[in-house]
Amino acid sequence: MGPVESAAAEDGAGGLDRVHRVLAQPRVGMGPEAVAVDVRRRRAFVACSRSDAVTAVDLVRMTPVWRAGVGREPIPIVFDAPTGRLFTADARSDIVSVLDAGTGEPLARIAVGAYPAGLGYHPRLRRIFSGDTAAATITVVDADRLAPIGVIPAGLGAGSIAIDRRRDRGYCANFMAASLTVFDPVTLRPLDRIPVGRGPCKVVADPVADRLYVANSLENTVLWLSLADGRVGGSFPVERAPVGLAVSRDGRHVYVCNRGAGTVSVLDVRAGAESHRIRVGYGPGDCVIDPATGRLLVSNAGSGTLTIVDRPWLPGPEAPAGHPAVGRLLPGFALPDLRTGRIRTTREWAEKKYVINFFASW
């Protein structure tokens, strides 16, 4: 049993530690998106969409140990503990790739619908569910036979999939249809369509709070629904373009990857509000909680890194106040070029990146 999060934690000296710590940010590849954890081997696996590969990271040394090629643009990843296999949906190859999690050896390539961008997993049923974005379908894969066994109609932009194992209900986020498709993972029948906010990117089921969380990337909100009756219970405002979600094991905190802000919002479920934010790398795509340590693992699509955060439920130090000139337009000025005598102005470099080196002597 992993550690249970609390509102405060004692440090080694017996004092109160109110600061989360970024322990490491190993480079994993280009465009890292989803993350999965093998608790027994102490490894994390990152789907690197722009490298067309999966990178394995040793969570003790916090360094990569292997990288394996898959299809084009892997986005989601699932770890199947009983078989020690990894599954990635490779969006631009229309396949699900299967790897040996210990070595990275390729095991199978399974054809699914057009542009698969999300995966769901039901370990008891031994089934993997692929959200096929362009096909508006969910392809169901037998996790042992490594073969498709059915297709479920969904909505346009079908992607992220969450499974309520208590009731055997599946939920697929339809990005362009602004809805959730509810389906039966046993009979493979669609059951309902639930409207949500614009651009639902990620859905996560929390069995502790009995809630389903939905990241609406185009509305900058996280919606929550009751798993018992499917009714919308409320929403949380977050920063720009939330695309990834993870829930703590005790159901107390929800972690939201704000792709447009380079932060993770930490939502306190009991308080019903955001408690603090954690600055990570550029373009955070998704995150997961390491069950063994409670640490937060965040993939940074724009930085090519994996941020490992210790005790993420604790607020960090306040960010220093920025200079009042930050964010304002650069005032125009003109100076002579020391080599030619020509007058140069800031208008010559409008909309361009440049470096100004100020030198003074006295």
Side-chain angles (χ1 to χ4, degrees):
M1 185 81 176
V4 175
E5 295 184 355
S6 61
E10 297 294 323
D11 65 18
L16 192 64
D17 179 0
R18 297 294 297 173
V19 180
H20 64 258
R21 292 189 302 146
V22 173
L23 300 179
Q25 296 197 90
R27 299 198 65 82
V28 291
M30 294 186 294
E33 296 288 354
V35 187
V37 175
D38 179 349
V39 175
R40 186 178 64 83
R41 284 195 179 96
R42 303 303 304 127
R43 285 184 178 178
F45 306 98
V46 188
C48 299
S49 63
R50 302 303 175 196
S51 294
D52 299 333
V54 171
T55 299
V57 176
D58 185 314
L59 290 176
V60 177
R61 297 183 176 87
M62 303 186 196
T63 56
V65 291
W66 57 254
R67 179 181 293 178
V70 290
R72 296 172 63 198
E73 199 175 345
I75 298 175
I77 189 166
V78 163
F79 172 64
D80 180 35
T83 61
R85 293 171 177 161
L86 293 168
F87 295 79
T88 65
D90 307 329
R92 299 184 66 187
S93 296
D94 299 341
I95 62 169
V96 168
S97 291
V98 187
L99 300 176
D100 183 303
T103 64
E105 177 187 358
L107 301 176
R109 292 163 62 92
I110 306 165
V112 293
Y115 206 87
L119 287 179
Y121 173 53
H122 198 313
R124 179 173 55 80
L125 295 179
R126 308 299 302 135
R127 290 176 177 178
I128 302 289
F129 301 88
S130 169
D132 310 322
T133 301
T137 58
I138 302 164
T139 300
V140 187
V141 174
D142 187 301
D144 295 312
R145 294 193 292 113
L146 306 182
I149 58 174
V151 176
I152 305 168
L156 191 59
S160 176
I161 296 174
I163 303 294
D164 175 7
R165 300 178 194 173
R166 181 185 304 174
R167 299 173 181 86
D168 278 338
R169 288 290 180 268
Y171 298 83
C172 177
N174 304 311
F175 182 87
M176 285 167 272
S179 67
L180 300 177
T181 294
V182 186
F183 64 93
D184 188 323
V186 179
T187 64
L188 310 187
R189 291 186 301 109
L191 301 173
D192 197 4
R193 180 76 61 89
I194 301 174
V196 292
R198 292 180 296 121
C201 259
K202 184 71 184 285
V203 285
V204 174
D206 175 25
V208 177
D210 210 27
R211 289 180 173 184
L212 184 78
Y213 294 97
V214 185
N216 295 316
S217 63
L218 301 182
E219 292 190 350
N220 303 328
T221 61
V222 172
L223 193 73
W224 69 268
L225 302 85
S226 166
L227 286 171
D229 57 23
R231 294 182 181 178
V232 174
S235 66
F236 299 86
V238 292
E239 282 199 289
R240 298 185 300 277
V243 297
L245 287 175
V247 182
S248 63
R249 296 190 72 188
D250 62 1
R252 171 72 184 271
H253 297 99
V254 179
Y255 301 95
V256 187
C257 294
N258 302 309
R259 197 180 196 105
T263 62
V264 172
S265 290
V266 184
L267 309 180
D268 188 319
V269 172
R270 294 179 192 170
E274 180 184 87
S275 62
H276 60 283
R277 294 171 186 168
I278 303 170
R279 182 152 296 281
V280 290
Y282 296 117
D286 210 350
C287 58
V288 71
I289 293 292
D290 178 359
T293 63
R295 291 171 178 167
L296 179 70
L297 312 179
V298 184
S299 61
N300 303 301
S303 302
T305 57
L306 179 71
T307 299
I308 303 173
V309 183
D310 194 30
R311 288 176 274 190
W313 58 93
L314 297 178
E318 292 293 327
H323 192 279
V326 173
R328 296 176 59 188
L329 292 176
L330 178 70
F333 63 86
L335 291 171
D337 188 311
L338 294 181
R339 291 183 298 174
T340 65
R342 175 187 168 193
I343 298 297
R344 312 298 296 266
T345 73
T346 52
R347 296 186 64 183
E348 296 179 56
W349 297 286
E351 305 298 329
K352 298 178 181 178
K353 293 181 180 179
Y354 54 91
V355 176
I356 299 176
N357 182 20
F358 290 96
F359 178 78
S361 62
W362 53 85

